[in-house]
Amino acid sequence: MTDFGSNLVQSATDRLAVQSLLTTDAAFDMLEATVVLQRLPGPPPRSPFFEALAPRVLHRHAAAGWDGLCARVLELAREAESHYQEPDSSSFLVALHQALASGAFLPNSPLLVNAGEERRTLFACFAVDTRRPMAEFLDVARAIHDGMGGVGCAVEGTENQVREFVQRLDHDTGANQAGRPRPASNAVTVNATSSGAETLLDLSGQMRWTNLNWGISDSLMNAVDRGQPDAQRAMQRLAESIHRTGQPGVVFVDRIPRSSREDAPPFAANVCGEAPLAADESGLLGSLNLLQFIAVEPDGVRLDEHALASAVRMAVRFLDGMHDLHHHPASRLAQNSSATRKIGVGVMGFAHLLPVLGIRYGDRASIQLASQIGKVMMAAAREESERLADRRGAAPVFLSSDGERPRRNAMLVAIAGTATLSLLVGTTGGIEPLQGLVLRTRVIGKEIHTVDPVLVALAARDGRDPVETHSRLLRGDPVVDVVGPDLARLFPVAHEIDGGDHVRVQAAFQREIDGGITKTINCPASTSPESIRAWIELAWREGCLGLTVYRGGSLDGEPVTAIQGVPS
């Protein structure tokens, strides 16, 4: 029986209460650590973004608040559990409710918004087959968008065919935005060696609702390594396009896990790239807030790996159950998704966890921690999926090899960018670094200024008045002067981190998990095309499934603006 509840999300105060035999000094140190943790971001209603996001996330149930949303999600879980005879359903539901209420675990936004709706469109990630007629493709895409999902697809064809497809999809998506809880989006991937690849570069930066990706094969990258002229020119054109527009993103197509109901279908990245899916297939994501898995001990704080593993098992069970409830907009989507039951348990708050543990993003210790978190998550997810397969049946297309036990789910761990979810719990998105320490963020028409809450909490630990720290940072005093050089060093912002270190952190996670990762190298305006090209080549050598690079100032209207940063 899975151990849910007892080790899932205990508060720092609960942990402190059981330390009755500590010496006075140790107890005092733990009390200080507890006070710090209590200042960290937590339940969504405490987030500075909650009021702005509430109309979208709570939708027509605003009067019931966050507690009402948790109750609606819990009712979905209870219904899914009723399909099976599990002896620990009660403790599972208690643990799930605790994780939702505290912000330790959140499923993707469509599930949160649509949990109380008659038509349960719960999934965020879709890949749609472009081999169907265009009118039919657009009908399916509209239905997915209406349910708050994103559409990914792989496109083949001549230059004119690729151009027409991308432009028509982007126009149709924009023309049908009215009434949707959030703006819809797409991702189109074109193979770098196809005739339409140059067209995709020409369209980069021009589409409003559609992200563009180049699909790059191992053979092309090997040709680049050998100095083959055509491959070198293609890579240079790619780097120059990214330098100019921030697009296209890169997908290393030979790295995509190939598990599907149909034989040899096209595979495509979803909108953000963390869920590689077969054509006409979908998957469900959820994310764990790493700040909620910190253990207080006499000599400091650490990542509570046991609690994290318990939460991963809970998340796998919950997400798998939603496959039995989700309404698919097309029969092939239903058939293919039910055959693979793909899910993606991810994380958010990695860049906030690091300074709490005394680690700087990009240092060797951060790469080691990334690897360890990935190992813990994958082991726990695999264990739970194998248990579910024993109890409920394996995924019909699970590919067993080398004596592996069958699993319930063909994909288990995928790290999304968690844009809305991380705002809800007041932490950093996915495994991205900090975007800034004082931010101006536009959220659904509102401009919100924030000072990094973890920086303020750790400054308070060091004896600095949190109100004064907050005020000084907000008015623009140098961060080093406000919090001191030792603490300031633990809070690098994205463009201050070497691009290679961005890649190495991503690769450390990627080597341990079976899904993809949403990750962007946010770099300074002064970054050269040659640096961008070097990062792409490093990402391939390090084993990433793909990446995105964004050079500051490439596009107008950036939703998040750093008002100040920390010197390296």
Side-chain angles (χ1 to χ4, degrees), residues 11 63 92 118 134 152 156 165-166 170 175 214 231 318 324 448 477 567:
S11 70
F92 162 73
E118 182 177 353
M134 188 65 183
E156 296 181 355
F165 179 91
V166 172
D170 196 72
W214 249 25
F318 169 76
D324 299 329
I448 300 173
D477 288 2

Side-chain angles (χ1 to χ4, degrees), residues 392-453:
R392 305 177 180 183
V397 298
F398 177 74
L399 305 178
S400 181
S401 62
D402 298 327
E404 282 189 298
R405 291 173 57 192
R407 301 177 200 166
R408 178 77 165 165
N409 315 94
M411 185 177 77
L412 292 166
V413 180
I415 301 175
T418 67
T420 298
L421 301 187
S422 57
L423 291 178
L424 276 173
V425 296
T427 193
T428 54
I431 61 168
E432 297 287 4
L434 294 161
Q435 299 305 302
L437 300 179
V438 182
L439 296 175
R440 181 172 60 243
T441 308
R442 292 193 307 277
V443 181
I444 314 182
K446 295 183 179 180
E447 190 172 274
I448 300 173
H449 289 214
T450 55
V451 175
D452 191 88

Side-chain angles (χ1 to χ4, degrees), residues 471-530:
S471 298
R472 290 184 64 188
L473 291 171
L474 197 59
R475 70 175 179 242
D477 288 2
V479 177
V480 172
D481 292 348
V482 177
V483 302
D486 291 342
L487 185 55
R489 185 187 178 279
L490 298 178
F491 285 84
V493 299
H495 70 267
E496 296 162 348
I497 299 169
D498 179 78
D501 290 334
H502 279 264
V503 170
R504 281 180 276 271
V505 169
Q506 178 180 347
F509 277 102
Q510 186 65 75
R511 282 190 287 268
E512 306 300 337
I513 68 175
D514 62 346
I517 297 174
T518 297
K519 178 75 183 74
T520 299
I521 300 177
N522 284 286
C523 53
S526 58
T527 300
S528 68
E530 288 69 30

